[in-house]
Amino acid sequence: MPYTAEAPTRRESNEELRARIPGWGADLDPADRPAVPRERFAPEVTGAHWDFPERQEERVPRERSIEHRFLTPVFGTSAPLHGVSGAIRRFAYEKFGEGRAAHWLLLIAGDRVDAVGSHLRSVLTLRPDNPVTETGVVSELRRGGIRSRVGRGRADVKHGWIDPLLIAGFWVFTGIVAVAVVRSIGKR
Amino acid sequence: MMPDTRVGTTFGHEFIGVVDQVGPSVQNLKAGDRVMVPFNVYCGSCYYCARGLYSNCHNVNPNATAVGGIYGYSHTCGGYDGGQAEYVRVPFADVGPSIIPDWMDDEDALLLTDALATGYFGAQLGDIVEGDTVVVFGAGPIGLYAAKSAWLMGAGRVIVVDQLDYRLEKARTFAHAETVNFNEHNDIVVHMKKTTDFLGADVAIDAVGAEADGNLTQHITSAKLKLQGGSPVALNWAIDSVRKGGTISVMGAYGPIFSAVKFGDAMNKGLTLRMNQCPVKRQWPRLFEHIQNGYLKPNDIVTHRIPLEHIAEGYHMFSAKLDDCIKPIIVAEAS
């Protein structure tokens, strides 16, 4: 077909589509679509019976984005800041706005420190993490790990060999460095 | 990839439950009510909520102005514990939750709290007009619902792209869509041009988001090494597959740091890019009608029901896409 002003020919008519697909065209009129228009001023429909929410008690100092004028009246209370990861995260919130890459990269660094610290704490307790049950890897046996992958042409399987290197690589590298440091100290 | 995801936070942004206790100012709910809870935490009274943008509420997320409040979705989304637990705190109980109608199936109610509402919202953002060709990247729950919803809005063709044959089969049977396995084509964008008279689709919906596969460099730098906010493979395919002047709807979730998106192509093609986290409750009245009319059967895509005590296995199964998993549901009181 040459490039003309004509639109491509429809493969199925409205009648054919209506017969084949339950509800075809039920929301053809944009007026029937709840997200149209995008902004619809209607504060009366939300159920709010306040102009500004009652402020939640701030039991521990709560970090906030410097792009906010104040601590929002309501906030999550899960996992308050603590330790080294908490210090990194608080620095990220207090020093950098959300438009700065440093803000997010510091938060990611805080996540890594949090994870490492949690692993170390686990090792030092009487109930260390169980990598077999807590990673869910046993589902590889119970949920067909092999048949779900082999012969299916999955793109993720083709590069799956990299995953152990990426996941274990950090720990192996850290272990090597730790051993080297200990040996170095021992030689002195 | 969501920064500031802390050890000890309870995940789970898609949940229903029974009211155990209510705060002193709650007027519309009482203990014992069965409720469905939108994944958005929102106040109902701020500048954004007053305009229907519940997912962009300004009063609930001190950690970021770039995103609203979401249950169990990192501190970047407000630091709220989520629903994968026996109990969860739900702020603004007179605004977000609704009592589950007697006629509604529990699993349908659950799916209305995110996946179905988000897929339906994604189709709306495509501004579909009668006869449009709509291509949906991703045949997961959101993509399947978006494809199904595109028909409601009058699409003339709906094409779903994925790499997993069992999901594409579901796209054919559940969403009545044409399907394409991108692994069977050397260049999926060229294939999409060929199948749309070399113009491109009118609308493309990214229902994949941050962990997209199909480009090794993008996948490794984002999903594995976290050097990008997400792997924009599907989004870039959408940009390149849609016709000039077409519309992209982004339902796939991306983190707040930079991603290698082909904005040059989007600009030069005159595309309209539309996106947001779904304001869930705004979609409910119309979706209730569609379910009652038999146009939508949400729990047709549920493949697994996992007891809470086996949640780790459920996560691994879903993440690794084992056992033909499409949509697993966590059941707190499973016997």
Side-chain angles (χ1 to χ4, degrees):
Chain A
M1 179 180 138
Y3 292 169
T4 67
E6 297 298 317
T9 306
R10 292 267 303 269
R11 295 189 175 190
E12 293 178 279
S13 68
N14 289 359
E15 291 67 32
E16 289 170 320
L17 289 168
R18 200 169 277 122
R20 184 168 74 87
I21 297 164
W24 183 89
D27 293 331
L28 194 52
D29 183 350
D32 289 327
R33 303 178 187 178
V36 178
R38 185 181 67 158
E39 295 188 21
R40 179 184 294 160
F41 187 76
E44 71 282 0
V45 306
T46 66
H49 39 82
W50 49 80
D51 291 326
F52 183 76
E54 180 183 338
R55 282 195 174 276
Q56 180 179 328
E57 184 183 354
E58 186 183 2
R59 294 179 181 172
V60 294
R62 182 62 159 79
E63 74 285 357
R64 68 173 174 85
S65 166
I66 56 175
E67 294 186 27
H68 266 305
R69 177 180 296 171
F70 45 66
L71 180 66
T72 56
V74 171
F75 48 85
T77 54
S78 171
L81 296 178
H82 68 280
V84 177
S85 64
I88 294 170
R89 286 162 167 154
R90 189 174 295 283
F91 179 72
Y93 282 110
E94 292 179 351
K95 185 72 177 176
F96 300 104
E98 297 164 52
R100 303 279 294 276
H103 175 85
W104 302 110
L105 294 174
L106 279 167
L107 289 177
I108 293 170
D111 291 349
R112 297 295 170 265
V113 171
D114 191 5
V116 170
S118 296
H119 285 303
L120 290 176
R121 267 198 304 279
S122 160
V123 169
L124 296 175
T125 65
L126 296 175
R127 288 186 59 199
D129 292 338
N130 182 334
V132 175
T133 60
E134 293 174 20
T135 62
V137 72
V138 290
S139 62
E140 289 287 337
L141 300 175
R142 295 179 183 170
R143 303 285 182 176
I146 294 175
R147 73 176 149 78
S148 297
R149 293 188 176 89
V150 175
R152 294 194 153 195
R154 288 172 48 165
D156 55 324
V157 173
K158 294 173 187 169
H159 58 71
W161 59 271
I162 297 175
D163 295 352
L165 295 177
L166 294 172
I167 294 167
F170 169 79
W171 297 102
V172 172
F173 176 77
T174 304
I176 291 171
V177 171
V179 169
V181 169
V182 170
R183 282 186 174 175
S184 170
I185 293 172
K187 287 178 181 174
R188 289 180 185 177
Chain B
M1 186 267 298
M2 225 19 126
D4 206 356
T5 298
R6 301 181 190 173
V7 176
T9 299
T10 302
F11 289 155
H13 60 278
E14 191 177 56
F15 60 93
I16 62 173
V18 178
V19 176
D20 186 65
Q21 292 180 357
V22 295
S25 65
V26 175
Q27 299 176 0
N28 300 330
L29 296 178
K30 62 182 186 307
D33 285 340
R34 294 172 60 250
V35 291
M36 47 204 289
V37 184
F39 76 81
N40 323 112
V41 183
Y42 66 107
C43 73
S45 60
C46 70
Y47 176 92
Y48 300 105
C49 288
R51 288 158 178 79
L53 301 177
Y54 307 147
S55 53
N56 306 110
C57 178
H58 215 43
N59 271 333
V60 293
N61 184 359
N63 297 76
T65 59
V67 60
I70 302 178
Y71 294 99
Y73 214 86
S74 81
H75 275 68
T76 293
C77 297
Y80 294 92
D81 275 318
Q84 289 171 2
E86 291 168 316
Y87 295 92
V88 60
R89 167 196 174 225
V90 176
F92 303 111
D94 285 335
V95 172
S98 282
I99 292 176
I100 300 172
D102 290 337
W103 55 267
M104 188 177 286
D105 181 271
D106 274 358
E107 291 183 351
D108 288 349
L110 172 68
L111 294 161
L112 277 158
T113 65
D114 180 6
L116 175 59
T118 295
Y120 181 62
F121 179 64
Q124 290 173 78
L125 290 190
D127 279 338
I128 296 165
V129 300
E130 183 179 325
D132 268 355
T133 294
V134 179
V135 57
V136 180
F137 289 94
I142 305 293
L144 292 170
Y145 289 139
K148 183 92 171 176
S149 301
W151 294 120
L152 300 177
M153 289 156 216
R157 282 180 79 187
V158 177
I159 305 166
V160 175
V161 179
D162 201 288
Q163 60 148 334
L164 299 170
D165 286 329
Y166 74 90
R167 292 191 175 196
L168 292 172
E169 170 66 18
K170 181 62 81 174
R172 290 190 289 273
T173 57
F174 172 80
H176 316 283
E178 300 170 43
T179 59
V180 176
N181 186 326
F182 69 74
N183 279 330
E184 295 174 359
H185 300 276
N186 183 47
D187 187 329
I188 188 63
V189 172
V190 172
H191 178 76
M192 296 311 299
K193 291 288 173 59
K194 286 179 179 175
T195 194
T196 54
D197 288 315
F198 288 91
L199 288 179
D202 300 291
V203 176
I205 299 173
D206 168 8
V208 180
E211 298 199 0
D213 220 317
N215 179 306
L216 186 61
T217 304
Q218 293 272 27
H219 183 76
I220 295 296
T221 55
S222 56
K224 303 303 180 193
L225 298 179
K226 316 299 183 191
L227 299 175
Q228 297 191 67
S231 165
V233 178
L235 180 53
N236 286 340
W237 284 349
I239 288 169
D240 287 335
S241 297
V242 79
R243 69 168 168 82
K244 295 167 199 169
T247 300
I248 306 287
S249 164
V250 185
M251 285 299 98
Y254 294 87
I257 67 169
F258 33 77
S259 297
V261 177
K262 299 182 73 175
F263 274 114
D265 284 358
M267 186 276 174
N268 290 317
K269 293 176 72 172
L271 303 186
T272 299
L273 275 69
R274 304 193 66 203
M275 61 209 83
N276 199 355
Q277 294 280 356
C278 175
V280 170
K281 198 168 181 179
R282 193 166 157 181
Q283 320 305 316
W284 281 356
R286 188 65 170 162
L287 284 172
F288 285 14
E289 291 177 22
H290 288 331
I291 292 171
Q292 285 191 293
N293 288 330
Y295 300 158
L296 295 171
K297 294 179 180 174
N299 75 351
D300 275 357
I301 71 163
V302 175
T303 52
H304 296 79
R305 293 156 184 87
I306 308 291
L308 184 59
E309 57 267 31
H310 294 161
I311 194 167
E313 288 185 45
Y315 265 97
H316 185 82
M317 176 185 67
F318 181 69
S319 175
K321 299 179 178 64
L322 307 182
D323 201 27
D324 290 354
C325 181
I326 297 176
K327 181 65 178 177
I329 284 177
I330 305 300
V331 186
E333 72 282 11
S335 55

